[in-house]
């Protein structure tokens, strides 16, 4: 089975200094966070920004599930610390469920 790809979106606090800090944190992600992402089945991840809107593209292996990743993240103290820090900069997109951060986007076209 081949890898799958997902696109998710999230907003940042609309403040240039907060956005700059968020980007700085992502330029120096710890090895523990990188290992956690890889261990969950993510084989590639890119985040793009336009203004305060983010889009994340995840390429995952055949064993990846969002539930499995969430359970692994919940059990990882490094990830929990990272998520608390990142939530200071992040805001849910309109239409997100209460407490939902990254929202899965629906693919509507492929070429």
């Amino acid at each position: 089975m081949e890898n799958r790809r997902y696109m998710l979106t999230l907003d940042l606090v609309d403040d240039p200094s907060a956005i700059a800090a968020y980007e700085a944190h992502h330029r120096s992600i710890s090895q523990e966070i990188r290992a956690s992402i890889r261990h969950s089945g993510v084989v590639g991840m890119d985040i793009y920004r336009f203004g305060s809107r983010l889009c994340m593209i995840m390429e995952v292996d055949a064993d990846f599930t969002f539930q499995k990743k969430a359970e692994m993240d919940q059990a990882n103290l490094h990830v929990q610390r990272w998520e608390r820090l990142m939530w200071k900069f992040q805001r849910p997109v309109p239409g997100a469920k209460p407490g939902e951060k990254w929202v899965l986007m629906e693919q509507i076209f492929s070429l």
Side-chain angles (χ1 to χ4, degrees), residues 14-109:
D14 195 8
D15 173 341
S17 62
I19 291 170
Y22 185 83
E23 289 183 359
H25 284 295
H26 279 78
R27 284 191 293 274
S28 59
I29 292 175
S30 72
Q31 289 304 314
E32 291 88 358
I33 298 301
R34 288 178 186 275
S36 171
I37 293 169
R38 293 271 186 212
H39 188 66
S40 71
V42 177
V43 297
M45 178 183 282
D46 296 297
I47 299 175
Y48 295 85
R49 181 179 67 80
F50 177 75
S52 60
R53 175 74 36 100
L54 299 177
C55 287
M56 176 170 54
I57 301 170
M58 293 174 49
E59 187 174 348
V60 300
D61 65 22
D63 296 326
F64 175 88
T65 68
F66 284 101
Q67 180 178 345
K68 180 178 99 174
K69 181 169 185 345
E71 290 169 0
M72 292 173 69
D73 290 350
Q74 192 66 33
N76 186 315
L77 295 177
H78 295 286
V79 172
Q80 289 303 304
R81 189 173 26 242
W82 172 259
E83 290 299 331
R84 280 192 303 276
L85 175 62
M86 292 302 101
W87 196 234
K88 294 177 183 180
F89 304 102
Q90 300 168 330
R91 295 293 173 255
V93 294
K97 296 173 186 155
E100 188 174 35
K101 291 177 78 170
W102 288 97
V103 176
L104 186 62
M105 299 178 78
E106 179 182 350
Q107 182 179 8
I108 63 168
F109 176 79

